[in-house]
């Protein structure tokens, strides 16, 4: 039995290492919503609910995530035995509709606490438990410039950090975008897997042309080329185009996963904990995908370290992660917010083995970067260090 003693939700803004150019927004910083829960025994859990580009990616913003947690979810937690994570989240689900990102942040914090109470990593609390200690990590080339993207990829290959690259396209004319992808495929030929993410920005007609051309230039995967709610058009594209189609914005948890799988609307699922509504729901999406013969990939909302490791903990339980992951979010930020940095090496991310998420926040950094910081910071940290 555990009772909620303290809850704190706050937004942390961290600059990105370079502008990150997506079809719907250009990011110069990332706004992460962190939640910290403490029980009556002083056990602490942390969670993250992060989106991309304010409201340009999805229906929840950093501000709405914080507000949903503070105003509607925390009062429910106060009525629960929060050591029972499944039961607590079921009660939250009855009182709060939608708001998947907010729910994911809270479920992550509850699982972090549960793992610490039991002395096991979160991965042991999900499905059949942990099946891997590390996972491949892609990098997104999104500087907006072909030569800079190639130079960035060469650097990543040289230091053995990434050999899977995702290109963000959909902003320019289809032929211009394909020329950009083709140049990168040619430059890295035989040394890397090149994939693209259109973030829903094509029409079906553009997608037909674009996917055929992308296949010809050696692109391995096309993520969410058209609107995620146009399942019929996704079925037509997935059924006729040679390059596999990955569902991302179309997936909002198990029910949408079942609909997409049953319709044959995608060959690959991007598994995202926030979009799915939490870690348990992500495991269900993965199970539906596996049962339907759909390839699995660990997606990101460009979360910081907390959301990234929460994702890694659930992805560590999935036996066949054929397309790897893109859990590179913290590497896009100028600041490390953990006491011990995440371990990226040999093209992979190591999954922490300690209790709970297996990470701890650097409280000085958090105090400095909190959006609601009021007191002057007297430490030596400054943006860009
Ligand atoms: C998305 O749409 O998948 C993931 C990597 C990246 O650069 O942006 C994201 C979001
Ligand atoms: Mg995507």
């Amino acid at each position: 039995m555990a009772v909620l003693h303290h809850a704190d939700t706050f937004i942390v803004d961290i600059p990105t290492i370079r502008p990150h150019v997506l079809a719907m927004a250009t990011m110069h910083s990332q706004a992460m919503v962190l939640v910290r829960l403490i029980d009556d025994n002083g056990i602490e859990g942390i969670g993250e609910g992060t989106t991309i580009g304010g409201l340009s990616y999805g229906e929840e913003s950093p501000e709405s995530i914080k507000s949903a947690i503070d105003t509607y979810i925390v009062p429910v937690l106060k009525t629960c035995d929060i050591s029972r994570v499944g039961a607590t989240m079921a009660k939250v689900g009855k009182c709060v509709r939608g708001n998947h990102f907010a729910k994911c942040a809270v479920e992550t914090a509850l699982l972090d606490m549960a793992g610490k109470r039991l002395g096991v990593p979160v991965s042991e609390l999900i499905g059949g438990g942990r099946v891997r200690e590390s996972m491949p990590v892609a990098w997104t080339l999104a500087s907006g410039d072909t030569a800079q993207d190639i130079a960035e990829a060469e650097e990543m290959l040289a230091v053995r950090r990434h050999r899977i690259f995702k290109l963000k396209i959909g902003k320019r004319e289809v032929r211009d975008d394909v020329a950009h992808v083709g140049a990168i495929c040619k430059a890295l030929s035989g040394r890397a897997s090149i994939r693209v993410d259109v973030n829903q920005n094509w029409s079906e007609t553009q997608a037909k042309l674009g996917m055929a051309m992308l296949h010809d230039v050696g692109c391995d995967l096309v993520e969410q080329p058209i609107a995620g709610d146009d399942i019929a058009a996704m079925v037509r594209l997935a059924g006729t185009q040679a390059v596999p189609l990955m569902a991302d914005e179309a997936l909002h948890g198990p029910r949408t996963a079942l609909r997409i799988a049953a319709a044959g609307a995608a060959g690959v699922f991007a598994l995202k904990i926030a979009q799915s509504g939490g870690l348990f729901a992500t495991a269900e999406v993965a199970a539906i995908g596996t049962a339907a013969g759909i390839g699995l990939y660990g997606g990101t909302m460009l979360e910081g370290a907390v959301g990234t490791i929460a994702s890694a903990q659930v992805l560590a339980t999935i036996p066949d992660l054929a397309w790897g992951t893109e859990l590179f979010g913290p590497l896009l930020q100028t600041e490390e917010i953990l006491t011990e940095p995440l371990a990226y090496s040999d093209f992979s991310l190591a999954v922490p083995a300690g209790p709970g998420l297996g990470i701890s926040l650097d409280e000085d950094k958090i105090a400095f970067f909190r959006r609601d910081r009021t007191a002057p910071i007297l430490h030596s940290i400054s943006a860009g260090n």
Side-chain angles (χ1 to χ4, degrees), residues 20 22 52 57 140 166 168 197 199 223 248-249 272 300 302 326 328:
H20 199 61
L22 319 177
I52 292 172
Y57 179 95
T140 296
K166 167 160 140 174
K168 293 302 229 180
D197 188 355
N199 283 115
E223 181 173 341
D248 178 8
E249 283 92 333
K272 292 188 172 179
T300 181
L302 299 177
E326 57 183 18
F328 69 88

Side-chain angles (χ1 to χ4, degrees), residues 167-331:
L167 318 188
K168 293 302 229 180
I169 62 170
K171 212 176 159 171
R172 297 176 281 203
E173 288 295 315
V174 174
R175 287 176 200 282
D176 294 339
D177 266 342
V178 175
H180 166 73
V181 179
I184 294 175
C185 286
K186 195 168 166 209
L188 305 179
S189 175
R191 296 185 291 144
S193 172
I194 307 297
R195 299 130 186 223
V196 301
D197 188 355
V198 191
N199 283 115
Q200 319 187 80
N201 249 41
W202 282 343
S203 65
E204 185 178 356
T205 313
Q206 287 173 312
K208 256 193 212 159
L209 172 69
M211 289 178 79
M213 290 175 76
L214 284 167
H215 179 253
D216 291 345
V217 299
C219 172
D220 293 332
L221 183 65
V222 177
E223 181 173 341
Q224 203 63 63
I226 59 166
D229 60 2
D230 195 347
I231 302 296
M234 284 174 64
V235 171
R236 288 190 288 273
L237 291 168
T240 55
Q241 300 301 317
V243 61
L245 187 157
M246 178 155 77
D248 178 8
E249 283 92 333
L251 280 169
H252 298 277
R255 292 167 79 100
T256 47
L258 185 58
R259 255 180 257 140
I260 293 167
V268 184
F269 277 174
L271 302 171
K272 292 188 172 179
I273 57 169
Q275 224 164 255
S276 299
L279 282 66
F280 292 139
T282 304
E284 290 174 23
V285 171
I288 290 166
T290 300
I294 290 170
L296 301 179
Y297 177 70
T300 181
M301 285 307 298
L302 299 177
E303 289 104 335
V306 179
T308 294
I309 288 306
S311 301
Q313 293 283 353
V314 65
L315 297 173
T317 71
I318 296 169
D320 190 1
L321 204 50
W323 292 85
T325 80
E326 57 183 18
L327 297 184
F328 69 88
L331 300 171

Side-chain angles (χ1 to χ4, degrees), residues 42 59 64 71 85 88-89 94 100 104 108 115 153 176 186 241 309 323 325-326 329 369 384:
E59 291 170 3
S64 81
T71 315
V85 182
T88 301
M89 291 311 298
K94 285 213 162 70
H100 281 192
C104 177
T108 301
D176 294 339
K186 195 168 166 209
Q241 300 301 317
I309 288 306
W323 292 85
T325 80
E326 57 183 18
F369 286 102

Side-chain angles (χ1 to χ4, degrees), residues 5 24 78-79 111 163 165 170 202 215 223 240 261 267 270 282 290 300 323 337 344 367 370:
H5 175 68
M24 65 294 183
K78 286 183 180 159
T79 68
L111 282 167
R163 58 182 162 197
F165 298 103
W202 282 343
H215 179 253
E223 181 173 341
T240 55
T282 304
T290 300
T300 181
W323 292 85
I337 59 158
Y344 289 96
R370 276 179 79 127

